[in-house]
């Protein structure tokens, strides 16, 4: 029998998460039955990445690598439901941890938000906030591949330097600018064709009036509001959206799941061609999972935050 370590949520968050919200427990796992596999986590994120170490399921032979939603656990017995094998020709010189980042769900989110929601075209100007994060950093790079002008917002000078390394045309630290409205106008005096929204809150209220007529907004996240104990209110964008005839659409990456195999190959090709840089913030040790999670919410990571088990 295998003993699994697992993090359990002991109490729902009230405001920002605390150490006391989590408890580390040990669990004895049964032997896999017919059709089941035993998974061992190698890297963990919101989506854990694992390898199969024991199998009674021919679809997942021992030693294959999979991505699955199994929680914060070192080991899991699974019947295979929801498991996805990595690309069969995954290059040996590319870290498999990228299956949790640029060559995984965050990369797909960036790609589908730009192509399926925004319909981004060459020559257009794109604004993206949380631009140094797992999704935002890929958004900006794909937009540059497509021949667009990219303006990125992030929360530290180090992140701004990173965005410049990635080829962003303009990048700024929203925490230190005197006026967000003025810096957005200076970065693109003619306004923005597209806005990839990851933050919400006051940033969104300032950015929406900077859109061009018939501008498009993809709402991917709202990290500025996730830990609020009281809902934020206004200002409200309705009149701006009416007079500028804007389109705003929220989306979930799972909508285009049928495209994932082809899309992952496109992302991998850009990585292999040197067009896509993939920064990771790696925390060592399963015991540090809550700390890595809370650090991510505080914006400590550049690129994708993962835990190496």
């Amino acid at each position: 029998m295998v003993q699994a370590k697992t993090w359990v949520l002991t109490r729902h968050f009230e405001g920002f998460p605390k150490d006391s919200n989590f408890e580390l427990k040990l669990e004895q796992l049964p032997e896999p039955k017919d059709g089941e596999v035993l998974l061992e986590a190698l890297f963990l994120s919101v989506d854990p990445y694992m390898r199969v170490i024991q199998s009674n399921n021919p679809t997942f032979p021992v030693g294959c690598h999979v991505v699955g939603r199994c929680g914060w656990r070192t080991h899991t017995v699974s019947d295979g439901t929801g498991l996805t094998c990595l690309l069969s020709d995954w290059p040996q010189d590319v870290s498999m941890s990228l299956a949790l980042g640029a060559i995984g769900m965050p990369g797909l989110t960036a790609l589908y938000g730009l192509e399926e929601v925004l319909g981004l075209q060459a020559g257009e100007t794109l604004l993206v906030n949380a631009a140094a994060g797992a999704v935002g950093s890929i958004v900006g790079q794909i937009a540059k591949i497509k021949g667009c002008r990219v303006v990125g917002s992030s929360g530290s000078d180090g992140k701004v330097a990173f965005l410049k390394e990635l080829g962003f045309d303009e990048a700024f630290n929203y925490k230190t600018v005197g006026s967000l409205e003025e810096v957005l106008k200076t970065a693109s005096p003619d306004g923005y064709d597209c806005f990839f929204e990851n933050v919400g809150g006051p940033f969104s209220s300032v950015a929406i009036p900077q859109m061009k007529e018939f501008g498009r907004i993809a709402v991917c996240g709202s990290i500025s509001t996730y830990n609020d104990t009281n809902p934020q209110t206004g200002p409200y964008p309705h009149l701006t959206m009416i007079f500028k005839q804007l389109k705003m659409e929220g989306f979930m990456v799972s909508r285009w799941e049928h495209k994932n195999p082809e899309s992952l190959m496109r992302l991998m090709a850009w990585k292999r061609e040197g067009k896509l840089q993939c920064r990771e913030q790696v925390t060592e040790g399963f015991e540090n999972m809550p700390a890595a999670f809370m650090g991510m919410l505080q914006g400590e990571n550049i690129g994708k935050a993962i835990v190496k088990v």
Side-chain angles (χ1 to χ4, degrees):
M1 294 180 66
V2 171
Q3 187 178 69
K5 296 178 182 178
T6 178
W7 281 103
V8 176
L9 185 67
T10 57
R11 184 177 305 159
H12 285 289
F13 308 145
E14 295 179 2
F16 195 82
K18 301 180 288 292
D19 288 334
S20 58
N21 292 123
F22 307 95
E23 182 180 355
L24 182 60
K25 292 188 174 183
L26 298 178
E27 180 183 338
Q28 296 291 336
L29 298 182
E31 286 290 312
K33 301 173 184 176
D34 286 343
E36 292 186 332
V37 295
L38 176 61
L39 306 174
E40 179 182 54
L42 300 182
F43 298 97
L44 287 166
S45 176
V46 177
D47 306 294
Y49 157 64
M50 305 165 186
R51 67 177 174 185
V52 177
I53 59 174
Q54 191 174 344
S55 178
N56 290 319
N57 186 325
T59 304
F60 303 102
V62 172
C64 74
H65 294 85
V66 299
V67 175
R69 298 177 181 270
C70 303
W72 292 359
R73 307 170 57 87
T74 58
H75 297 81
T76 303
V77 173
S78 169
D79 64 2
T81 301
L83 299 183
T84 303
C85 289
L86 267 64
L87 295 172
S88 58
D89 56 350
W90 190 281
Q92 291 188 350
D93 61 344
V94 176
S95 172
M96 289 189 179
S97 61
L98 293 185
L100 292 178
I103 320 297
M105 186 271 288
L108 293 170
T109 301
L111 183 64
Y112 296 148
L114 290 173
E115 293 188 345
E116 304 292 341
V117 179
L118 292 177
L120 188 67
Q121 302 297 314
E124 292 189 316
T125 298
L126 170 78
L127 172 65
V128 55
N129 49 19
V135 174
S137 60
I138 305 301
V139 166
Q141 293 182 82
I142 294 176
K144 291 305 297 179
I145 291 171
K146 290 179 173 292
C148 297
R149 189 169 184 275
V150 180
V151 177
S153 168
S154 61
S156 76
D157 293 342
K159 291 179 178 180
V160 170
F162 172 58
L163 298 181
K164 289 292 189 179
E165 290 176 19
L166 296 182
F168 280 57
D169 297 279
E170 300 286 343
F172 62 89
N173 180 352
Y174 73 90
K175 293 181 179 178
T176 58
V177 297
S179 165
L180 178 59
E181 180 180 2
E182 288 304 315
V183 77
L184 289 176
K185 287 181 177 178
T186 301
S188 184
D190 294 331
Y192 298 88
D193 300 285
C194 293
F195 174 23
F196 198 107
E197 166 71 291
N198 293 308
V199 174
F203 189 105
S204 183
S205 298
V206 176
I208 290 176
Q210 308 302 319
M211 300 299 294
K212 294 181 181 180
E213 191 174 18
F214 302 109
R216 294 98 69 198
I217 303 168
V219 183
C220 176
S222 183
I223 197 168
S224 71
T225 66
Y226 290 162
N227 299 304
D228 288 350
T229 52
N230 296 311
Q232 297 182 25
T233 59
Y236 303 103
H238 300 76
L239 285 178
T240 299
M241 294 190 68
I242 292 168
F243 291 126
K244 291 198 172 188
Q245 302 184 72
L246 304 180
K247 176 184 175 182
M248 177 185 285
E249 181 179 347
F251 73 99
M252 301 286 286
V253 66
S254 55
R255 192 195 311 180
W256 301 279
E257 189 173 4
H258 61 286
K259 292 190 173 187
N260 284 1
E262 174 192 354
S263 298
L264 290 171
M265 287 191 289
R266 292 175 64 197
L267 291 166
M268 180 63 81
W270 285 330
K271 163 65 178 171
R272 299 282 285 167
E273 293 165 6
K275 297 178 179 178
L276 206 58
Q277 297 185 44
C278 309
R279 180 78 68 91
E280 293 179 310
Q281 187 100 8
V282 181
T283 300
E284 297 273 351
F286 181 76
E287 290 76 11
N288 294 317
M289 194 82 192
F293 173 68
M294 289 184 282
M296 177 271 296
L297 290 176
Q298 290 175 319
E300 295 177 0
N301 58 295
I302 296 180
K304 177 61 180 173
I306 63 171
V307 173
K308 185 177 181 181
V309 178

